[in-house]
Amino acid sequence: MSQDHNRKQSVVFFSDIVGYTRLMGKDEDHAFDLMKKNLEIHTEILGSYRGNIIKELGDGILATFETVPEALEASIEIHKRLQSIPDMQIRIGLHCGEIIFDHGDVFGDAVNLTARIQGIGVPSCILISEKAREQLPFKTDFNTQKLGMFRLKNVEHPVQLHAVTNPPCAIPKRSQILDNIHFQEKNPWKFWAVLSVSFILLTYLIYSILWNTSVWEKDKSVAILPFTNLSNNSEQEFFSEGLTADVITQVSKIGSIKVITKDAVEPFRGPDLPLDSIANTLGVSTILKGNIRWIGDKIRINVQLIDPSENKNLWAETYNREVSDIFEIQAEIASEIARVLNSNLSAAEKDQLNKAQTSSFDAYELYLKGRELYSLYRKQTTLEAAELFKEAVRIDPEYALAYTGLANAYAQYLYFGEGDQWLDSSMEASAKALAIDPYLAEAFTAQGSAYYYKGQNEYAKISFEKALVLNPNLSTAMGNLATVYFISGDLAKSLKLQSKSATLNPTNHLPYQITGWIYRVLDQFNEAHNWIDQSIEIQKDPLSYEQKAFTYFEQNKIQEGIELANQVILVNNDTTSLGFVAAGTIHFFAGDFEKAAFYLEESLRKKPDYESDEYFISPVYLSYIYKTLGKTKEANVLLDKAISIRKETLEDFKEDFNLWLDLAQLEAVRGNINQASTYLKEAYNRGFRDDFQLVNNPIFKNYLSHQPIRSLLSELQKKRMEMNQELQTSDLLRNK
């Protein structure tokens, strides 16, 4: 491995808690709690701005960023967050330069200089070097004040420093900086400690370069294939399934490792699998295989981590343990994967891995059986799963994950139309889980799902975000949060999560479909076609064909779009209403009302309960077609029922822009353009961003010159430009 391979120009970030040593002398427990809270806040905020935490240095944190604006955004946000925490003030230093990355650490002159810059600051300040300030764009929202040149100990040349003046940053006086430099020179122990760490790291790097040839240089990713049950008892199959899922969950807690979801690895079973092909399909560099055998009251678990491209073993282990050791085994497997892939575990990640789920193996068995039944997503099995989760918490009332399973089951039962009272039960169960374990990502995910079902998107968003701070690869939370961002109109954030979700679950068509949908709304049509085509390759979902047709229409390729209406019926041989809805919708937007009516009427016949479905779009488009054809009576019947069900639903779900958009279309069909405009504004306020639904919609064709609609189209165009700019700034387009 060459040194140059690990050198990179980066923005170095250093922060530490002011007065932490003094606080430790007064109250160690309080000081430790502050340090833990500080790490949680840094982890959450730095991750949002592509910051990479390298290590914790006691009360300090070392991180790197790709750009200075991202580093400053994160730094200011951290100071804002810490304002509400008593006894908590930090100082931050930023500098740019060439640093050496190796074994999860960084070092070099830039690291040492940044540490010194941070160390001479005052509470709540951000000090940046001249080199960092030069990397700010000409037009920027960041304000700085020049402090002058300073000579820092063990730094050869004077350093020009600037203070960031954006609120709530403190602005140090030059005299304060000079006093701190003088104090450093008299009390250099902290910086000698940093330099000692750097020396150790440098020694380690030299050793790695000259003598160690087994350093993992590929991307840190793994697919954990379903564990094989070697026991003769087929009833133990649930245990091997549960073990697979739990090991995946454990590894997903390690932020630096990409781990494929359980759903994506499910098809890959058997002893003689083409591992190189599986790795290529799932987009990973390593694969973990395993099997489990019961030997009396003990278990034997064999695991093997493989590099499929080189066809070699990276690590293997056999665990002969008591069944009560199952959680320790899961943590050990995850830790070993991290070790082999050179992923340093943070203190928070170690805490998460070593957390015991339950002291009762009987309760754990019930939980696994309940989770297996729940995953079938059927009404009866969901009820059976809930009973098993209840039994698990009866055995162990402190079993937080079992309460989480119960919360999910109750929320899922609502999906089957059993009434809103189940949401209260779901919320209560997730609250109990969080009371037992306030850092349980799965519990925040269950809580977020219940909020989402209740139509409280902002609360749902907060819960899902908390889940991802605790477990950055938790695919359920990621997908749900991406959906909430999508329907709230925050397309840039949704796109970031959707594209990551696609890498974690590459056999699920939905992240590809929604990513393509977002790119279409943003007028990035090549990207839209690319992602939607991948979605169709995985699953021929009618909605993907519809979105691809819309993309063609926006490019004025009308015939290509119309051809997809035939494909969605022929390719899918769809016997449900969905294919007919998509085909009818495509023809409707193409202006072919005869064919649109044929398919939409067929969709009504395929869905006898359509009148009670507030999201069924066929009555909206058919009402316009009927009115255009002079079938006023038929149109009014559809209009009255469609408006009634949507207004009734809005009493509980006011945040769903789709309902407001549908009402706008229905009122426009009636000719009530002022009321339609009011509904469109409400839709926009709640996240509607797709101007295609106005410009290309036959319903609004004669109303585009109406002043409120013209204003709304202008707002949509402006919002689209802002979101595209946000994507370019975050460099997301290069990570698709």
Side-chain angles (χ1 to χ4, degrees):
M1 178 181 64
S2 69
Q3 262 184 318
D4 291 338
H5 180 76
N6 293 287
R7 293 181 181 273
K8 183 180 179 181
Q9 289 287 332
S10 293
V11 182
V12 184
F13 167 106
F14 249 116
S15 74
D16 78 343
I17 302 174
V18 179
Y20 186 79
T21 303
R22 183 181 66 255
L23 189 60
M24 278 288 288
K26 293 172 57 180
D27 188 343
E28 288 187 2
D29 290 338
H30 180 50
F32 179 79
D33 288 340
L34 286 181
M35 184 173 67
K36 188 173 182 180
K37 183 65 175 176
N38 184 52
L39 176 60
E40 291 173 0
I41 291 172
H42 275 70
T43 301
E44 175 187 353
I45 295 176
L46 268 62
S48 298
Y49 294 94
R50 296 197 303 160
N52 178 32
I53 293 182
I54 304 300
K55 62 168 53 185
E56 308 152 55
L57 299 168
D59 60 322
I61 290 176
L62 166 63
T64 61
F65 286 84
E66 295 292 325
T67 68
V68 172
E70 288 173 313
L72 283 178
E73 287 278 6
S75 299
I76 293 171
E77 186 66 28
I78 289 170
H79 276 315
K80 289 179 180 178
R81 187 76 66 85
L82 294 179
Q83 280 186 309
S84 61
I85 303 176
D87 299 325
M88 177 74 92
Q89 286 182 307
I90 67 169
R91 53 195 167 206
I92 295 173
L94 297 176
H95 175 57
C96 303
E98 185 181 77
I99 59 178
I100 301 172
F101 287 79
D102 194 76
H103 300 90
D105 289 302
V106 298
F107 45 93
D109 290 339
V111 177
N112 300 329
L113 178 55
T114 310
R116 290 199 173 277
I117 293 172
Q118 172 272 132
I120 61 175
V122 300
S124 300
C125 81
I126 302 174
L127 294 183
I128 67 174
S129 66
E130 175 69 11
K131 196 169 183 180
R133 193 193 67 83
E134 289 174 351
Q135 293 195 20
L136 288 174
F138 179 74
K139 291 185 178 180
T140 178
D141 293 330
F142 301 108
N143 301 311
T144 61
Q145 178 177 311
K146 183 185 291 187
L147 299 175
M149 303 290 290
F150 297 91
R151 286 195 172 275
L152 304 181
K153 188 175 178 64
N154 294 328
V155 177
E156 184 176 356
H157 302 290
V159 179
Q160 177 80 264
L161 295 181
H162 301 261
V164 177
T165 62
N166 294 64
C169 298
I171 307 171
K173 298 178 181 178
R174 180 175 174 81
S175 59
Q176 291 177 299
I177 301 296
L178 292 172
D179 287 343
N180 289 341
I181 292 174
H182 180 65
F183 180 80
Q184 273 189 11
E185 292 174 349
K186 292 176 60 180
N187 302 274
W189 63 270
K190 198 166 191 177
F191 288 91
W192 278 114
V194 172
L195 291 176
S196 298
V197 170
S198 299
F199 175 78
I200 293 170
L201 293 174
L202 179 61
T203 303
Y204 184 58
L205 177 66
I206 294 172
Y207 167 80
S208 301
I209 294 170
L210 298 179
W211 293 286
N212 185 9
T213 60
S214 61
V215 176
W216 186 254
E217 297 182 3
K218 302 177 184 178
D219 72 293
K220 296 175 174 59
S221 56
V222 61
I224 299 167
L225 303 188
F227 279 52
T228 303
N229 175 29
L230 298 181
S231 303
N232 293 327
N233 186 357
S234 61
E235 293 183 1
Q236 294 296 338
E237 189 68 34
F238 79 92
F239 190 80
S240 59
E241 293 292 320
L243 179 62
T244 305
D246 284 344
V247 172
I248 290 173
T249 298
Q250 288 287 73
V251 180
S252 72
K253 296 173 182 176
I254 305 172
S256 58
I257 298 178
K258 181 181 85 172
V259 57
I260 304 302
T261 64
K262 177 69 162 58
D263 289 341
V265 300
E266 191 63 31
F268 303 108
R269 298 174 176 273
D272 301 317
L273 297 170
L275 298 185
D276 54 344
S277 298
I278 294 174
N280 184 60
T281 299
L282 299 178
V284 295
S285 60
T286 64
I287 286 179
L288 185 81
K289 294 175 60 179
N291 58 60
I292 180 170
R293 184 190 301 274
W294 289 78
I295 305 174
D297 293 332
K298 297 185 177 182
I299 53 174
R300 173 179 294 168
I301 298 174
N302 296 297
V303 288
Q304 184 181 14
L305 186 64
I306 301 165
D307 178 353
S309 65
E310 301 290 337
N311 192 27
K312 68 177 182 181
N313 291 340
L314 301 173
W315 165 72
E317 185 64 80
T318 297
Y319 298 92
N320 291 297
R321 302 281 185 87
E322 302 289 337
V323 293
S324 57
D325 294 334
I326 187 64
F327 305 123
E328 293 179 11
I329 296 173
Q330 295 169 9
E332 289 176 23
I333 292 174
S335 298
E336 283 300 309
I337 291 174
R339 180 189 64 79
V340 174
L341 299 185
N342 285 313
S343 293
N344 285 349
L345 299 178
S346 68
E349 288 171 339
K350 290 177 182 177
D351 287 344
Q352 287 290 319
L353 291 180
N354 293 324
K355 187 190 302 179
Q357 296 181 20
T358 177
S359 58
S360 170
F361 185 77
D362 290 338
Y364 179 59
E365 275 196 312
L366 289 166
Y367 170 72
L368 291 184
K369 290 177 180 177
R371 194 170 63 184
E372 184 179 36
L373 287 170
Y374 170 78
S375 67
L376 299 176
Y377 298 113
R378 294 198 289 265
K379 184 175 180 179
Q380 184 57 38
T381 56
T382 300
L383 276 177
E384 293 171 4
E387 293 304 315
L388 290 171
F389 293 138
K390 287 180 184 177
E391 182 64 17
V393 296
R394 188 192 64 78
I395 296 173
D396 182 1
E398 297 299 306
Y399 196 177
L401 267 177
Y403 278 114
T404 299
L406 192 56
N408 285 324
Y410 284 149
Q412 185 68 24
Y413 202 52
L414 172 75
Y415 176 79
F416 295 115
E418 293 302 316
D420 292 348
Q421 70 273 13
W422 291 99
L423 278 180
D424 295 331
S425 299
S426 177
M427 294 294 293
E428 182 181 351
S430 60
K432 287 181 178 178
L434 289 169
I436 297 167
D437 184 356
Y439 300 100
L440 186 60
E442 291 85 351
F444 280 115
T445 304
Q447 183 187 68
S449 297
Y451 278 131
Y452 177 71
Y453 286 137
K454 289 169 75 71
Q456 299 176 358
N457 291 341
E458 284 302 313
Y459 288 115
K461 187 187 303 182
I462 292 170
S463 296
F464 292 139
E465 287 172 343
K466 287 179 179 178
L468 287 178
V469 169
L470 296 167
N471 187 336
N473 290 314
L474 189 58
S475 61
T476 306
M478 187 179 300
N480 289 342
L481 180 58
T483 298
V484 173
Y485 281 143
F486 181 54
I487 64 177
S488 301
D490 199 338
L491 302 189
K493 286 184 179 178
S494 180
L495 191 60
K496 180 179 179 180
L497 289 175
Q498 293 291 1
S499 57
K500 183 176 181 181
S501 179
T503 67
L504 299 180
N505 196 355
T507 61
N508 185 349
H509 76 286
L510 282 175
Y512 296 93
Q513 180 191 87
I514 298 175
T515 299
W517 189 336
I518 294 173
Y519 275 125
R520 178 188 65 75
V521 174
L522 297 177
D523 285 355
Q524 298 188 36
F525 302 128
N526 289 337
E527 290 291 340
H529 281 300
N530 177 46
W531 284 90
I532 295 171
D533 286 344
Q534 292 182 74
S535 174
I536 292 174
E537 186 176 342
I538 296 169
Q539 181 173 323
K540 293 175 173 54
D541 187 328
L543 187 56
S544 295
Y545 285 95
E546 180 183 299
Q547 285 301 312
K548 188 168 179 63
F550 286 178
T551 308
Y552 277 134
F553 291 163
E554 294 213 66
Q555 295 175 289
N556 204 30
K557 298 179 179 179
I558 307 302
Q559 192 55 43
E560 288 92 331
I562 291 175
E563 289 174 0
L564 290 169
N566 298 325
Q567 289 186 37
V568 75
I569 299 297
L570 297 175
V571 174
N572 289 279
N573 191 23
D574 208 324
T575 58
T576 68
S577 64
L578 298 178
F580 291 102
V581 172
T585 299
I586 292 170
H587 281 293
F588 179 77
F589 276 84
D592 187 346
F593 295 155
E594 182 179 351
K595 289 185 177 179
F598 170 79
Y599 286 120
L600 294 172
E601 287 170 345
E602 188 64 25
S603 74
L604 298 187
R605 285 190 284 271
K606 296 286 186 180
K607 187 177 177 61
D609 63 341
Y610 72 87
E611 292 180 359
S612 61
D613 187 342
E614 63 271 22
Y615 293 104
F616 197 59
I617 198 66
S618 292
V620 177
Y621 298 149
L622 269 176
S623 66
Y624 176 81
I625 295 173
Y626 287 161
K627 191 164 186 179
T628 302
L629 298 176
K631 298 180 179 181
T632 306
K633 182 178 179 181
E634 292 89 335
N636 287 336
V637 170
L638 290 176
L639 285 167
D640 291 342
K641 292 178 179 177
I643 291 174
S644 175
I645 184 63
R646 283 161 176 79
K647 284 186 175 180
E648 181 181 333
T649 305
L650 275 178
E651 293 178 6
D652 295 318
F653 297 96
K654 290 183 171 62
E655 295 306 310
D656 191 339
F657 77 78
N658 288 288
L659 297 172
W660 296 102
L661 177 61
D662 284 358
L663 283 171
Q665 294 182 89
L666 291 163
E667 291 295 345
V669 172
R670 279 182 163 175
N672 300 332
I673 188 56
N674 290 328
Q675 183 62 61
S677 299
T678 300
Y679 285 145
L680 282 175
K681 187 62 176 178
E682 292 289 349
Y684 174 79
N685 291 338
R686 287 160 173 78
F688 171 60
R689 299 292 181 262
D690 189 1
D691 62 1
F692 174 86
Q693 296 287 344
L694 298 179
V695 176
N696 295 76
N697 192 336
I699 294 175
F700 295 111
K701 179 178 62 176
N702 296 326
Y703 300 122
L704 296 179
S705 60
H706 187 61
Q707 182 56 43
I709 293 182
R710 286 172 55 193
S711 298
L712 180 58
L713 287 172
S714 178
E715 285 293 321
L716 288 169
Q717 183 179 15
K718 179 181 177 182
K719 183 66 70 173
R720 181 170 61 247
M721 292 173 63
E722 290 175 356
M723 290 186 291
N724 276 307
Q725 181 62 41
E726 183 178 349
L727 289 177
Q728 292 174 358
T729 303
S730 66
D731 206 23
L732 184 60
L733 293 176
R734 288 185 292 175
N735 296 321
K736 58 183 181 290

